[in-house]
Amino acid sequence: MNCHVMNMVCLSQRSQAKFRIILPILILIAVELVHPTMSCKNEKCSQLLHRSLKLTRLMSKRSADLLETYKASQGDSADLICDMQMDNVPVSTISGQTMSERILSVYTHLKEFLPHMKTVMEQQKDLNPPINPVVEGLHSMITHVHHIAQRVNCILQILQPNIPIPEPAERSTGIPPAQNIFQQKAYGCIVLSRLQELLSQAVQEQKSLKGKMCKQRTKNGSL
Amino acid sequence: MGSSHHLLVFLMFLHYAVGFTYNCVKILPDSSSSIVVEVGKNFTATCHLLEGCAYTSDDIEWRLGNLSIAKQSYHRINETAVSVTINISSDMSDWLKCTAPKESLSYKPRSIYGIFLRAGYPPLKPKNLSCIAVQEDKDISPNLNCSWDPGSRNPLIDTTYTVYANVPGTVLTHKADCKQHLARFCVVNLETFPIHMVLKVWVEVKNALGSERSELQSDSSYFAKPNPPLNVQVLTEDKFPTSLVVTWKHPIDRTILKLSYAIRYRKVTSNVWIEVPESFTRGYIESFRLQSLEPYTQYVVQMRCIGESNSSYWSNWSPSVTERTTEAKPASAPDLWRIIRPTSNSRNVTLIWKAPVKANGKIRFYNLSINQNNEKFESHNITADNLSQMYSMELPAGKMASIEITAYNSAGESPKATLSIPRSDKELPGVKDMSWSVRDEKLQVKWTAVLPLPHPLKLSEYLLEWVKIPQSVHQKELPAGWQRVPKNVTVTTLNAGLEKFKRYNISVYPIYKYQPGHVWHFQPGRPVTRPAYVQQGPPKEGPTVTVTKSKKNSAELTWEETPLDSHQGFIIHYTIFYAIGNTKQWKSETVGPNVHSYVLTDLASETDYVVYVMASTEAGSVKGTDCTFKTMKYGDGEVEVIVVVVCLSFLFLTVFIIMICLRKREVIKKLLWPQVPDPSDSSIAHWSPDFPIKADLPKEDVSVVEVDVFDGKSLCEEDKGVLPLKKDKYLSEEHSSGIGGSSCMSSPRHSVSDSDEGDSGQTTSSTVQYSTVLGSGYKGQTPSHQPPAFARSESTQPLLDCEEHPDHLNESQSRSSYFRRGRELEPGVLAPECDGGSLTFCPVQEEEPSPVAEEPPASALCYMPQKSGYRPQ
């Protein structure tokens, strides 16, 4: 009996010891899993907004340049192909009533555009030499749009810290099916055009946060 | 029997062989590869005897490499296990072996087991990690150049360095493996530089003994290094001589990296940079005005940039841009000086000046105004250039002058510089003493301060003047300079670039000032001057020596001083070297620098000497050209004495001979002029001196001697000269010739020469008086109608050769066959055929007439028989 009791005590002591070891590991894993959100807290609110705005403004400008480069590389029918209508390309319209909703819309749209940009890049690799200004620009643009999305995510975390940010499903917006070359060119042009529009609106949305977001956070005492 | 024995031996060998390889020991820890052990730490290994092993733990022996490990390090665990603990050092990378040795003559198998130990160090943490991404075109390069300090300790074992980079929040991590041993740098490619994102970079170093890492995390701009500002320009502005405007372009778009700028500048002549405070250039600007600069001065400007708030690396400095500020009017007066050279009744004053120190521009011209005795004398505008910054004038000794000069540039005029030149007898006192020395290849001048002068004269400063001598005639610039020093200084170093080996006259002037009105006047005092060299050298050339007087045992040498320019220093002495001919046994004499002639004594007479003179400065010597001379055979007066003695001796001899002649004159007379019998005193016949001779001589009886041609070429030159005369005589004075011939034909007793025949010893060119002796009969042969007569011929016809040389008579005899009679000879042929060898007459016998009558001797050989030439006696 005593032995059983002792065994029970011993067992409970052993499990506590194991828990002490496992718990930090679990916490560490959890921290690592939520690493993206944790990185936002390395920066001050104003600094975050400032850098995000600068990056978005830069990419807005570069997307315009990239669109021009794209058009120039597609031949004489560039204007024609860019006027075509395609339904399966994300729209650039920012929706929402509140500041948070609009920033979330920006974030969602950015995420939606990323797979389309990758598709255009792959198509351009096939249409043109693998290394050309359009492909290089797209490759760089994809990285930077990722970074903008990350910044906007951080802004969203500040704007609505208690609400989880919905991640758009991969390829949920529907990548267009097999296309001919003309369609590919038109598709690429539309994607870049709408991306440029989106980034321009994103700049405006972030500008509108100036003087509001960080002031609000300061009042709340978080930053 | 034999086969079984062989089988037994084979089995024993097999057993031994199997036993040799049999292993019943094992080491723990064990590894198929090497076991890495840390230097400095203890390492413990245990050797286990496997089951069935015949050894005990006492048999176990540890060896590291080939060396046994001391037993003290062993630890016997039980009967079958022994451990050993060793302290690892860096040289212990070797086999650690556990052996159970076979005893001698034992059949126990030998066992051995080993592990390979590799000693090393754990990696050190990299220090000072830094990563730079430079600007490429209009973007930041994705290549991140990272460097760090790996530490100086060699880990001894394989160690890898890996650089990682990622943007926190993203899953993509870039990495670069650095292949070098003890890598110090590595480049990691980020594919796209994460603008405006946080970037995390770390370097991880790993080896078998552990790992270390260093980390950097910052905004990505901190890793960026922009290019220098573009198109940096420096602009000048009129009417702003103290400022320059710097403009530039941003090297990178502000959306990527917003920059702030730094500007630095310096004078071209200076190496010290002046940096504009960063607070002045803060902000996203593209121009800046540099102020408080000096007018008309060249400045060098450079720029660099950095992310605002120092958020990036500094760029490199931009290339230098040089620009000159615009002109302002001169801020200081020209430096005016004068050089005075006294002439016979005046002073030659050369005014020289330097441009104002603060010229603030290019001086265009100078306005020079000269007053003499307080009256305006002359005024000139002198163009400013290096060649004409001087002005010469004559100033009488009794006049004073006041000079004013002003410099002008494009912006205006300078303050005025003044200088007074007093009358010659009104010079102010100078410094008392002055000396110089050379220090660090520069002249240091020291002087004694002047005593204070009564009011209103005040000592203003001292002025040191240097003038190169000798001055070249072709030199356009005045080889002079001057330097002003404050009045409280009595020793200073000349800052002039004085040439080596050149002589300079260094003068120290006190400069006095007084204020007669509102303007200060400056007047120099009396100078003290010393010659000086900043560096002396051996003379360029030696003096050329000449021998002015050479005597029997001495010679006077003279040499001229070489040109001052070739001295290259102060001549301290001359050395005269001389030697006999080629003997090279030189003797020398040393004389002072002011001596230029010397008398060499104790020389050998009538001997060739070589001499040269060597000039010496403190830096060396150089010999002049050789000179050769010969001493005299006789000393002074010796020749005169000999001449006088000889002359006197000759005089005495002459007198002595004359005396003898006077005393013995009768004897001499008889010898020279023998007694000729006087026909008048003849006892044989009577002498009738008045008998006409010539009148009665029948012309047809004259015999003309004709000379035959023997050899035209043999006619002597003397005979040619006298030939015309002879010809005339021959043709016109037949009497004489005939008489000559008759004298030869006639008996010597009848042909008696006059006493003048004593001169017959004269040369053939001398004239000889011929006598015509007309016999009055001999031995009873009385002339038919003519009295005996003696006539003296006044002919100047020269004697014929045979007459002059009676010794040649014999020869004449042999030649006599060439004489022909007159009609056989053409008269014209006679003269050129006169020959010494052929044209001969028989000489008149100068012997005393022999009293004995003889038959005509060999005269027959000399003359052809004259049948009708003489009248029969």
Side-chain angles (χ1 to χ4, degrees), chain A residues 67-86:
Chain A
L67 181 60
E68 292 302 314
T69 308
Y70 181 86
K71 286 178 179 176
S73 67
Q74 304 308 314
D76 297 333
S77 58
D79 292 335
L80 179 64
I81 58 176
C82 290
D83 290 338
M84 288 187 65
Q85 294 294 322
M86 281 197 178

Side-chain angles (χ1 to χ4, degrees), chain B residues 71 259 353 571 743:
Chain B
K71 295 282 186 186
L259 298 171
W353 57 89
I571 301 291
S743 67

Side-chain angles (χ1 to χ4, degrees), chain B residues 602-734:
Chain B
D602 298 332
L603 304 178
S605 63
E606 205 180 4
T607 306
D608 287 322
Y609 276 91
V610 179
V611 64
Y612 67 84
V613 175
M614 187 167 73
S616 301
T617 66
E618 67 173 26
S621 305
V622 67
K623 68 186 278 290
T625 52
D626 290 349
C627 175
T628 306
F629 69 93
K630 189 175 184 178
T631 50
M632 307 295 285
K633 186 175 183 179
Y634 300 104
D636 289 342
E638 282 186 9
V639 173
E640 288 83 348
V641 169
I642 291 169
V643 169
V644 168
V645 168
V646 169
C647 289
L648 287 176
S649 301
F650 184 75
L651 185 64
F652 287 139
L653 182 66
T654 308
V655 169
F656 179 73
I657 291 170
I658 291 169
M659 296 274 293
I660 289 174
C661 290
L662 288 175
R663 284 199 171 192
K664 300 291 184 182
R665 65 179 178 277
E666 292 302 327
V667 176
I668 294 168
K669 186 179 177 182
K670 283 183 180 177
L671 285 173
L672 295 178
W673 295 282
Q675 190 71 35
V676 178
D678 188 356
S680 61
D681 293 336
S682 176
S683 58
I684 300 170
H686 291 283
W687 177 256
S688 300
D690 298 331
F691 182 74
I693 301 167
K694 292 179 182 178
D696 296 335
L697 282 173
K699 286 186 180 179
E700 63 268 18
D701 292 339
V702 174
S703 175
V704 176
V705 177
E706 295 176 358
V707 181
D708 199 359
V709 176
F710 174 64
D711 186 2
K713 293 181 181 177
S714 60
L715 186 63
C716 69
E717 292 297 321
E718 294 171 350
D719 294 338
K720 287 177 182 175
V722 299
L723 200 55
L725 180 61
K726 287 180 178 178
K727 185 181 174 184
D728 292 342
K729 292 294 179 181
Y730 295 157
L731 295 175
S732 61
E733 296 185 9
E734 295 89 348

